[in-house]
């Protein structure tokens, strides 16, 4: 019985990383626990090329790390070379630029609309149409470390 109580106390006090999305006025519109292995994928239609682009990030240590960028062409502002620490992988559906060591603590992201942007967010099989939910809005993404019990009590 003591083991079970100790285990539950540990689990409730264990640190977790929480992805939070808020509006410009500070209202939190979305929160979700993410692990370092959870892909956070932003998809959009490139404004000039009208081709799909996907930016895959990971939340590690309270920061976003760019995992890879997937594009279908190298034209008009799309990547053409990997970063100094990155690699390029040609593929059938997408060309992939992986690595590069780009990281940041917070991300400002302007959602498009049906005419421009068509932004999506995918996390572990769930997909949100940001351009439908928040057309034209500026969103703020960040990763916070908190105790599991704190997350569940505030959720």
């Amino acid at each position: 019985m003591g083991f079970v109580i100790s285990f539950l106390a540990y689990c409730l006090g264990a640190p977790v990383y929480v992805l939070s999305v808020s509006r410009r006025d500070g209202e939190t519109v979305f929160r979700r626990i993410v692990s370092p292995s959870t892909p956070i994928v932003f998809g959009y239609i490139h404004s000039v090329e009208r081709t799909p682009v996907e930016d895959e990030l990971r939340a590690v240590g309270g920061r976003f790390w760019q995992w890879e960028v997937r594009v279908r062409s190298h034209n008009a502002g799309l990547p053409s070379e990997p970063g100094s620490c990155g690699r390029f992988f040609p593929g059938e559906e997408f060309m992939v630029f992986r690595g590069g060591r780009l990281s940041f603590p917070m991300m400002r992201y302007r959602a498009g609309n049906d005419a421009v942007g068509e932004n999506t967010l995918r996390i572990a099989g769930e997909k949100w149409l940001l351009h439908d939910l928040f057309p034209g809005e500026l969103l703020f993404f960040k990763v916070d470390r908190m105790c599991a019990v704190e997350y569940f009590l505030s959720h």
Side-chain angles (χ1 to χ4, degrees):
M1 182 70 160
F3 174 75
V4 171
I5 292 171
S6 296
F7 179 73
L8 288 174
Y10 169 77
C11 288
L12 291 176
V16 294
Y17 289 98
V18 177
L19 170 67
S20 298
V21 182
S22 58
R23 289 185 157 115
R24 183 184 299 233
D25 64 6
E27 175 195 2
T28 300
V29 295
F30 176 82
R31 292 176 81 182
R32 186 166 203 274
I33 292 176
V34 291
S35 72
S37 63
T38 303
I40 302 167
V41 181
F42 291 91
Y44 57 94
I45 303 299
H46 189 273
S47 61
V48 175
E49 290 297 313
R50 301 299 300 159
T51 183
V53 177
E54 294 183 346
D55 294 322
E56 184 173 322
L57 308 172
R58 303 291 168 100
V60 180
R63 297 180 67 85
F64 291 104
W65 288 85
Q66 185 178 43
W67 185 256
E68 66 184 30
V69 177
R70 297 183 283 270
V71 298
R72 292 199 178 155
S73 77
H74 291 302
N75 300 322
L78 293 169
S80 60
E81 296 179 13
S84 62
C85 298
R87 304 269 324 259
F88 172 74
F89 300 94
E92 291 185 25
E93 185 177 2
F94 284 103
M95 293 174 276
V96 177
F97 298 88
R98 185 170 298 149
R101 306 220 16 101
L102 178 64
S103 76
F104 35 93
M106 189 262 301
M107 186 170 72
R108 294 166 37 139
Y109 192 86
R110 169 91 48 202
N113 54 38
D114 288 335
V116 179
E118 300 177 27
N119 310 87
T120 61
L121 172 64
R122 287 193 331 263
I123 303 173
E126 295 181 69
K127 183 176 181 177
W128 294 270
L129 304 177
L130 298 178
H131 63 284
D132 281 346
L133 296 170
F134 311 103
E137 286 192 56
L138 180 61
L139 301 172
F140 297 86
F141 290 76
K142 65 179 183 167
V143 179
D144 295 309
R145 181 180 174 182
M146 60 178 57
C147 291
V149 70
E150 180 184 0
Y151 170 77
F152 289 113
L153 289 176
S154 68
H155 196 61

